[in-house]
Amino acid sequence: MRAPLLPVLLGLGLCAPAGASAVQPVAAPFQPEHRGGSLRLTADANGGTLDPQINYVSTNAQIFAVTNDGLTAFAKVDGPGSATIVADLADSLPIPTDGGRTYVFHLHPGIRFSTGQTLKPSDVLATMRRIFKVGSPTAGSFYGGIVGATQCLKDAAHCTLAGGVEADDTGGTVTFHLTQPDGEFFDKLAMPHASVVPADTPIRDLGNIPAAATGPYRITAFDPNHGMTLERNPYFHVWDPVAQPEGYADRIQYDFGLTDEAQVTAVENGQYDWMFNNKPLDRLSELGDRYASQVHIQDMFAIFYVPMNMNLPPFNNLEARQAVNYAVNRAAMAIFFGGPAVAEPLCEMVPTGIPGRIDACFYSKGADFDHPAQHWQKPDLVRARALVKASGTKGAKLTLIVPNRAVDISMGIYLQNTLRQIGYDTSVKFVTDAIEFNYIQNTNNKVQISLTDWFADYPAASNFLDDLFGCENFHPGSDSSINISGMCDRTIQAAMQQAGRISVTDPKAGAALWSQVGRQIMQTSAAAPLIQFKYIDLVSKRLGHYTYTLLYHMLFSQVWVQ
């Protein structure tokens, strides 16, 4: 196999390892001479529902970053400062009282929705209730600590959050009461799921109908098979350029339907300004040779991993799951993504740059939990085969579910062969990327094993450990069950809760506890981490003011096309 990346691509300049930023974010001065024009985007498929409180895929998260707002946000600035939490619809970040359990937010006055309605504290209260009533994927994990949330999780239809959220329309304030301190509460309020929508927003999945916007753009047209159009929100004004800056393009046209190969060609030819999908391996040399000035390699908190269903054969057997972890060739997975410039083997579920990592490799040739390796070395197929034999699952039929994207297909076929090599009768099923993530979450589909990726909502170990393996995130029969492995270990759950509590007052001690949780999760082998990766952004020659944030990625509002 030829080198996946030429030296010119290696020399484009990689970001320093990412992490929680101490950099004070500063908004770039707006340059009105570049205002106008149409930004043209392309992806293989739509990102699912337009409901910001239900959607949980990165395709639409980038859209919501320029259409919707929460009480808080991650700074919409280029570079490391973008990992900083800032006030958004609120005029400042309040200092919590009552031992860290009470927050009083004061709203910026005069903010209006794209419908013309004035945003009020009562809209915030209705929004928080709606999170539970529509079954938001993070209702329990992110907002379950609000007083009254436990009852809402049991009886969503009658959710009131009484005693938990208080709205004062006259005073312009919203007060939150938590059951216990939460050092990540500001981060959670910055999530699209906490985007504030009008109180009269229907209590159901909005589907193809966009929610009213507060940001610089609003969705004016959407065809799930062809594309969406965003235009300026006529009621938007800048209240804080760091939280939500003015947009440059007058119009954003986002088309669906091109394969990732076709997307690369279209951007190279100037037909589109940006593409969503990962760049296929066989195009990377070409990009490095001929389009290096249009390529940006960026850090992000993102991983590929293989969740295994702990409630279905053969992976209801620990030894079977351990066998997969020993067998996977993480170096090969990194090569399929683009090589060492953009991907590296991952031995645990928390990526580099986030406090609370283990920084040890248990599933590598010559390693185990008593003798961990410092770095991943190579797969151990001999040990994997022995574990399969000992588990009594040899010969079991497996169906591996994989997204139908070029990079994923290459990984999936390689994984299929690996699973066959260790004794499983494995077939692979390629599923349209637009539905794959929801499909593998729903237990009704009886998915045994799958390949997927995970992008951090915010830079914290909990976002990889609690979100993906917490009991509160396993919802049988639901498309919103991000605990795909179906793991629910009460001892580990208690350790997660303790780590969350300690992190509020002692982040260093909290990180040490999260590291212990990560080790416990790897001992269950509920999933096989594969790689941590950077993002290769390809843009058109005409696109200027390229702006990349660690969590929203390329910021559509801040690039210009004229």
Side-chain angles (χ1 to χ4, degrees):
M1 183 178 294
R2 65 188 174 128
L5 284 177
L6 294 186
V8 67
L9 244 183
L10 289 168
L12 284 175
L14 305 182
C15 300
S21 174
V23 177
Q24 183 63 33
V26 178
F30 189 78
Q31 302 182 49
E33 67 272 21
H34 292 290
R35 196 177 196 270
S38 294
L39 177 66
R40 302 167 306 196
L41 315 174
T42 180
D44 61 343
N46 75 78
T49 175
L50 298 183
D51 195 320
Q53 296 187 311
I54 296 177
N55 189 283
Y56 208 9
V57 297
S58 57
T59 314
N60 282 9
Q62 282 183 280
I63 294 294
F64 298 145
V66 300
T67 59
N68 296 87
D69 297 270
L71 292 172
T72 63
F74 286 95
K76 295 186 176 70
V77 300
D78 187 65
S82 63
T84 304
I85 199 76
V86 297
D88 190 352
L89 296 176
D91 61 13
S92 63
L93 295 177
I95 297 173
T97 59
D98 187 28
R101 292 189 293 269
T102 298
Y103 294 76
V104 181
F105 293 89
H106 188 274
L107 301 188
H108 282 287
I111 295 178
R112 300 168 76 182
F113 292 105
S114 54
T115 56
Q117 299 165 266
T118 299
L119 185 147
K120 303 185 297 294
S122 53
D123 295 309
V124 180
L125 171 57
T127 292
M128 300 311 297
R129 289 172 174 168
R130 187 176 184 273
I131 287 172
F132 296 92
K133 290 183 176 182
V134 299
S136 175
T138 56
S141 57
F142 284 4
Y143 313 108
I146 299 172
V147 171
T150 300
Q151 186 59 35
C152 289
L153 290 168
K154 294 177 180 177
D155 184 8
H158 298 97
C159 175
T160 65
L161 292 176
V165 184
E166 301 165 354
D168 180 354
D169 285 349
T170 302
T173 62
V174 182
T175 301
F176 287 81
H177 298 285
L178 308 184
T179 58
Q180 62 185 24
D182 183 352
E184 298 171 5
F185 191 55
F186 287 148
D187 305 73
K188 295 168 182 177
L189 291 177
M191 278 291 297
H193 292 160
S195 297
V196 178
V197 296
D200 59 0
T201 302
I203 306 300
R204 55 174 170 76
D205 186 345
L206 297 177
N208 296 339
I209 307 299
T214 48
Y217 296 97
R218 58 183 177 137
I219 299 171
T220 56
F222 178 68
D223 180 335
N225 296 316
H226 297 98
M228 74 167 71
T229 303
L230 286 78
E231 296 175 336
R232 291 190 181 277
N233 173 2
Y235 296 100
F236 175 77
H237 69 274
V238 178
W239 55 84
D240 184 336
V242 171
Q244 191 61 280
E246 182 177 354
Y248 281 101
D250 286 337
R251 187 172 184 269
I252 300 174
Q253 181 61 43
Y254 204 156
D255 293 338
F256 312 135
L258 292 183
T259 65
D260 36 19
E261 292 275 1
Q263 289 175 50
V264 172
T265 301
V267 175
E268 290 175 344
N269 292 340
Q271 296 166 279
Y272 288 99
D273 298 304
W274 176 87
M275 61 174 285
F276 172 78
N277 292 80
N278 292 326
K279 293 27 175 207
L281 178 63
D282 63 354
R283 304 298 293 272
L284 296 182
S285 295
E286 169 192 332
L287 294 178
D289 277 341
R290 298 171 53 195
Y291 300 94
S293 64
Q294 296 168 230
V295 174
H296 303 267
I297 301 179
Q298 301 287 357
D299 273 322
M300 61 181 176
F301 306 112
I303 67 172
F304 267 95
Y305 73 108
V306 176
M308 291 170 272
N309 192 329
M310 297 175 67
N311 300 305
L312 285 179
F315 298 119
N316 55 352
N317 183 294
L318 174 61
E319 290 171 313
R321 299 193 301 272
Q322 291 174 329
V324 175
N325 254 307
Y326 275 113
V328 291
N329 190 329
R330 293 172 169 88
M333 298 298 109
I335 290 172
F336 286 130
F337 194 84
V342 292
E344 61 184 34
L346 184 68
C347 288
E348 58 181 291
M349 291 301 299
V350 179
T352 302
I354 293 180
R357 280 174 50 82
I358 308 168
D359 286 323
C361 198
F362 308 114
Y363 296 108
S364 178
K365 190 172 181 64
D368 56 30
F369 280 86
D370 293 324
H371 309 91
Q374 187 173 0
H375 304 288
W376 188 82
Q377 302 296 322
K378 59 177 64 176
D380 192 338
L381 291 176
V382 172
R383 187 165 190 169
R385 292 188 187 104
L387 284 164
V388 169
K389 183 177 180 180
S391 71
T393 63
K394 185 176 180 180
K397 290 184 179 295
L398 296 182
T399 301
L400 170 67
I401 307 299
V402 176
N404 67 342
R405 304 174 296 195
V407 171
D408 303 68
I409 289 170
S410 298
M411 289 182 175
I413 292 173
Y414 196 96
L415 285 169
Q416 178 190 22
N417 290 332
T418 297
L419 291 167
R420 286 175 172 174
Q421 286 179 323
I422 63 174
Y424 291 122
D425 181 3
T426 308
S427 60
V428 62
K429 179 178 180 179
F430 298 106
V431 179
T432 302
D433 183 45
I435 65 171
E436 193 260 0
F437 188 58
N438 288 341
Y439 182 86
I440 62 177
Q441 292 180 70
N442 196 319
T443 56
N444 292 336
N445 297 321
K446 301 188 183 304
V447 174
Q448 299 163 293
I449 185 170
S450 57
L451 171 68
T452 191
D453 52 26
W454 179 255
F455 295 73
D457 300 312
Y458 54 89
S462 63
N463 198 228
F464 290 85
L465 302 178
D466 191 17
D467 280 21
L468 299 181
F469 303 102
C471 297
E472 74 278 17
N473 292 319
F474 179 51
H475 307 290
S478 170
D479 285 354
S480 296
S481 183
I482 56 176
N483 180 347
I484 299 167
S485 300
M487 171 181 158
C488 183
D489 185 304
R490 295 298 177 184
T491 300
I492 295 177
Q493 190 69 35
M496 291 183 191
Q497 292 170 350
Q498 182 186 17
R501 287 193 299 270
I502 296 298
S503 296
V504 176
T505 56
D506 190 341
K508 186 175 180 179
L513 289 175
W514 279 116
S515 178
Q516 293 176 24
V517 169
R519 179 187 174 95
Q520 290 175 305
I521 288 174
M522 289 309 301
Q523 285 179 312
T524 72
S525 206
L530 297 179
I531 60 171
Q532 174 176 355
F533 58 95
K534 299 176 187 290
Y535 191 69
I536 305 173
D537 243 347
L538 173 64
V539 300
S540 68
K541 189 175 292 185
R542 72 169 186 156
L543 185 140
H545 201 243
Y546 176 81
T547 302
Y548 182 87
T549 73
L550 288 169
L551 294 158
Y552 304 121
H553 312 308
M554 192 180 91
L555 195 57
F556 298 150
S557 65
Q558 293 308 286
V559 297
W560 62 54
V561 290
Q562 70 176 33

